[in-house]
């Protein structure tokens, strides 16, 4: 009856959709629900559920020089990647939205297609390129590689903000004597700042959590946290990995919550 009259479908008829969505969310969240309790285990092995509770693996993480250095490298790389990828992504989104480029459609498709390229191929290709120019195991090479991965996310996020923004407001400001940059900074940026902040957070998280490309191009004093975690899992079963994973989960939740709070204040 509701469908024939063009009325919204009742919640009762959507129960199967809610149930299916709940199962998908449970499947995605289940690994986190297992890892977090395991990080508080007092055993020297990964156990679920834990037989005894302890903070020994968090202490092992924060007191380890190797883990600390790897964390510092990842934080530096993530911050630098955010600083580099955000302005470039905003500029690319601005150019695509304002149709300043003749081949804007092809550029947009190319940037979007880069997200579906297998990361393992990106890692192998980056490794061979860096081997020729001497950028392997360097912070510069790490930031450049992470920027390439984060840039499409920043561009698409900011571009979605531009879709709901009327560019005529900026044109009016320019017609009243404001320069292009002044009009963009004072009129456009305040109205799309939530998209810019979201894109920057995506860039930070993408860089901090990246493991495949970092496995090929980082090492020595520039070993990232995710690569050291992979090596620890390969060489031995260390419950410290569960503690670090829990910290990464908390970091991601905090950053996304901050973005949502920023959006509500806006």
């Amino acid at each position: 009856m509701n469908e024939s009259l063009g009325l919204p479908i009742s919640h009762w008829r959507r129960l199967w959709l809610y149930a299916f969505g709940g199962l998908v969310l449970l499947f995605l969240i289940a690994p986190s629900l297992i890892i977090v309790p395991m990080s508080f285990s007092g055993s020297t092995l990964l156990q679920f559920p834990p037989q005894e509770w302890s903070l020994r693996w968090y202490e092992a993480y924060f007191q380890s020089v190797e883990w600390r250095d790897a964390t510092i490298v990842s934080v530096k790389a993530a911050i630098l990647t955010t600083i580099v990828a955000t302005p470039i992504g905003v500029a690319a989104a601005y150019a695509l939205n304002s149709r300043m480029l003749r081949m804007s459609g092809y550029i947009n498709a190319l940037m979007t297609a880069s997200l579906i390229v297998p990361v393992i191929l990106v890692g192998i290709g980056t490794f061979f390129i860096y081997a020729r120019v001497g950028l392997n195991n360097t912070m510069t090479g790490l930031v450049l590689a992470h920027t390439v991965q984060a840039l499409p996310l920043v561009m698409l996020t900011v571009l979605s903000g531009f879709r709901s923004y009327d560019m005529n407001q900026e044109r009016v400001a320019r017609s009243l004597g404001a320069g292009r940059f002044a009009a963009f900074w004072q009129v456009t940026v305040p109205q799309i700042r939530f998209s810019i902040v979201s894109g920057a957070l995506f860039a930070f998280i993408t860089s901090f959590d990246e493991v495949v490309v970092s496995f090929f191009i980082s090492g020595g004093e520039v070993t990232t946290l995710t690569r050291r975690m992979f090596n620890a899992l390969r060489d031995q079963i260390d419950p410290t990995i569960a503690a670090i994973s829990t910290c990464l989960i908390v970091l991601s939740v905090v950053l996304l919550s901050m973005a949502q709070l920023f959006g509500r204040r806006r």
Side-chain angles (χ1 to χ4, degrees):
M1 181 68 178
N2 291 338
E3 295 179 0
S4 61
L5 297 177
L7 299 177
I9 301 176
S10 64
H11 290 286
W12 292 106
R13 294 189 178 185
R14 293 181 177 177
L15 286 178
W16 68 271
L17 181 60
Y18 297 151
F20 180 76
L23 291 176
V24 172
L25 290 176
L26 179 62
F27 177 78
L28 295 175
I29 299 175
S32 301
L33 299 179
I34 295 175
I35 287 295
V36 173
M38 289 173 61
S39 68
F40 294 97
S41 174
S43 173
T44 56
L45 300 175
L46 293 174
Q47 291 183 348
F48 182 82
Q51 301 298 321
E52 56 178 330
W53 301 93
S54 174
L55 295 175
R56 60 181 297 188
W57 302 117
Y58 289 92
E59 296 177 358
Y61 168 51
F62 290 111
Q63 294 177 0
S64 173
V65 177
E66 295 182 352
W67 287 117
R68 183 193 63 193
D69 292 343
T71 303
I72 293 175
V73 170
S74 291
V75 171
K76 286 182 178 179
I79 293 176
L80 292 174
T81 298
T82 304
I83 293 175
V84 175
T86 302
I88 297 177
V90 172
Y94 180 86
L96 292 175
N97 183 71
S98 58
R99 307 294 181 180
M100 297 174 61
L101 304 175
R102 295 182 179 180
M103 303 177 64
S104 59
Y106 295 100
I107 296 176
N108 191 12
L110 180 63
M111 295 290 288
T112 305
S114 64
L115 295 175
I116 64 176
V117 176
V119 184
I120 185 69
L121 299 181
V122 177
I124 295 174
T126 305
F127 171 78
F128 282 104
I129 293 175
Y130 281 7
R132 298 194 175 199
V133 297
L135 286 178
N136 280 324
N137 302 332
T138 64
M139 181 61 70
T140 301
L142 192 63
V143 171
L144 289 177
H146 287 182
T147 299
V148 171
Q149 294 180 279
L151 185 58
L153 294 176
V154 177
M155 187 199 71
L156 293 176
T157 303
V158 178
L159 191 60
S160 65
F162 273 118
R163 298 305 186 193
S164 59
Y165 169 68
D166 186 4
M167 290 294 294
N168 288 324
Q169 300 180 52
E170 182 178 320
R171 297 187 182 98
V172 170
R174 292 172 56 190
S175 68
L176 295 176
R180 179 181 290 273
F181 180 79
F184 172 77
W185 184 258
Q186 298 178 12
V187 178
T188 303
V189 170
Q191 299 191 58
I192 64 168
R193 63 180 183 272
F194 178 64
S195 299
I196 297 176
V197 172
S198 299
L201 289 177
F202 281 133
F204 184 90
I205 295 174
T206 299
S207 174
F208 196 84
D209 291 343
E210 205 286 321
V211 59
V212 178
V213 175
S214 299
F215 181 80
F216 284 95
I217 65 174
S218 69
E221 296 181 355
V222 195
T223 300
T224 61
L225 179 63
T226 51
R227 172 167 182 176
R228 191 167 293 280
M229 291 173 64
F230 181 85
N231 292 337
L233 286 175
R234 182 188 60 185
D235 299 335
Q236 60 182 353
I237 300 178
D238 188 356
T240 309
I241 302 298
I244 300 174
S245 301
T246 302
C247 292
L248 294 179
I249 293 172
V250 172
L251 176 64
S252 300
V253 171
V254 169
L255 291 178
L256 293 177
S257 300
M258 290 174 58
Q260 292 299 321
L261 291 175
F262 183 83
R264 290 184 178 182
R265 289 181 59 184
R266 170 176 172 269

